Amino acid sequence: GEEVAQTPKHLVRGEGQKAKLYCAPIKGHSYVFWYQQVLKNEFKFLISFQNENVFDETGMPKERFSAKCLPNSPCSLEIQATKLEDSAVYFCASSQGTSGTNEQFFGPGTRLTVL
Amino acid sequence: ILNVEQSPQSLHVQEGDSTNFTCSFPSSNFYALHWYRWETAKSPEALFVMTLNGDEKKKGRISATLNTKEGYSYLYIKGSQPEDSATYLCAFLHNYGQNFVFGPGTRLSVLP
């Protein structure tokens, strides 16, 4: 597609439940990025992929968070045993090449609310 | 920990005014700086990708400059319009990863 698609738009989970978010990058883009935006704070980088390979995961919490980008499937970000502080908007972005010279195209975000 | 700062935090200008704001970033290990425009409830939209010291880029009434040696970039808006109201984000990329560090943004309100 011509836009980054993210589903669902909103997700509500009870504390301790699992949350799974999906991102379909723009067709032909080989890099995918996940960001977490808590309330009105800045975007926090979580992880990036080059095709199905993890490119940089320095922002991923060591526990409970995992992500995948498999061929012919949307990318996913999964949070096991959600906590209240996981409530945020999770943005996905894709780019055609490395971010040194390529702009990122952002999806509309998934708002996760943990109760 | 890499620190990216933006100033001012917010700005109110009258329609027709020109304005500018600053993004400060580490001057070492620079790889790229991106500027994004973000309207609430929408996706951030890329404005500029800047890589070379001294770069100056322009898109319509918006332009940006880059000084990698001193670690800052300026974004200029000429003749602000109400539709320019948004948060302007800069994102710094160092040369050893794909780990963007975003600034907190400058929130611009253009009053008609």
Side-chain angles (χ1 to χ4, degrees):
Chain A
E2 293 299 313
E3 292 181 341
V4 176
Q6 288 190 249
T7 56
K9 195 169 179 179
H10 301 281
L11 189 58
V12 180
R13 287 289 179 265
E15 205 172 3
Q17 290 185 315
K18 184 173 77 174
K20 196 163 184 178
L21 292 59
Y22 296 93
C23 168
I26 292 173
K27 194 175 179 183
H29 283 194
S30 49
Y31 288 82
V32 171
F33 305 80
W34 284 100
Y35 297 93
Q36 180 193 56
Q37 195 236 349
V38 178
L39 295 176
K40 293 185 179 178
N41 291 342
E42 54 252 48
F43 289 68
K44 176 179 179 272
F45 170 84
L46 294 175
I47 189 169
S48 60
F49 288 84
Q50 181 184 11
N51 297 310
E52 61 266 28
N53 303 307
V54 174
F55 198 74
D56 189 320
E57 57 182 346
T58 50
M60 280 288 267
K62 297 296 180 194
E63 298 172 356
R64 302 187 300 108
F65 282 65
S66 62
K68 290 180 192 175
C69 276
L70 299 175
N72 303 312
S73 297
C75 296
S76 63
L77 176 70
E78 189 168 323
I79 309 172
Q80 302 286 342
T82 51
K83 296 184 178 182
L84 295 176
E85 61 260 32
D86 298 332
S87 294
V89 180
Y90 291 83
F91 285 95
C92 170
S94 71
S95 66
Q96 199 167 20
T98 58
S99 293
T101 51
N102 291 273
E103 59 191 8
Q104 295 189 9
F105 292 82
F106 280 77
T110 292
R111 180 177 294 278
L112 172 66
T113 302
V114 181
L115 303 173
Chain B
I1 296 176
L2 298 173
N3 199 33
V4 176
E5 296 175 349
Q6 289 188 248
S7 62
Q9 189 174 29
S10 65
L11 193 55
H12 293 79
V13 301
Q14 289 294 133
E15 184 174 357
D17 286 351
S18 293
T19 187
N20 66 85
F21 20 94
T22 308
C23 172
S24 302
F25 51 85
S27 56
S28 58
N29 300 311
F30 175 87
Y31 194 63
L33 187 86
H34 291 209
W35 278 100
Y36 291 89
R37 179 177 179 279
W38 183 36
E39 288 182 68
T40 305
K42 293 188 179 180
S43 313
E45 173 196 344
L47 289 173
F48 304 112
V49 175
M50 309 186 80
T51 55
L52 298 175
N53 185 44
D55 248 358
E56 185 167 340
K57 298 209 171 180
K58 191 174 179 184
K59 188 183 280 191
R61 293 179 292 99
I62 305 177
S63 60
T65 60
L66 179 69
N67 184 324
T68 61
K69 294 190 187 307
E70 294 181 45
Y72 64 84
S73 176
Y74 292 139
L75 190 81
Y76 300 91
I77 302 179
K78 188 177 176 182
S80 303
Q81 299 296 308
E83 58 264 31
D84 296 329
S85 298
T87 296
Y88 291 83
L89 299 164
C90 66
F92 168 78
L93 184 65
H94 51 72
N95 63 5
Y96 47 89
Q98 288 285 300
N99 180 348
F100 271 98
V101 180
F102 275 78
T106 291
R107 187 174 187 84
L108 174 67
S109 296
V110 182
L111 306 171

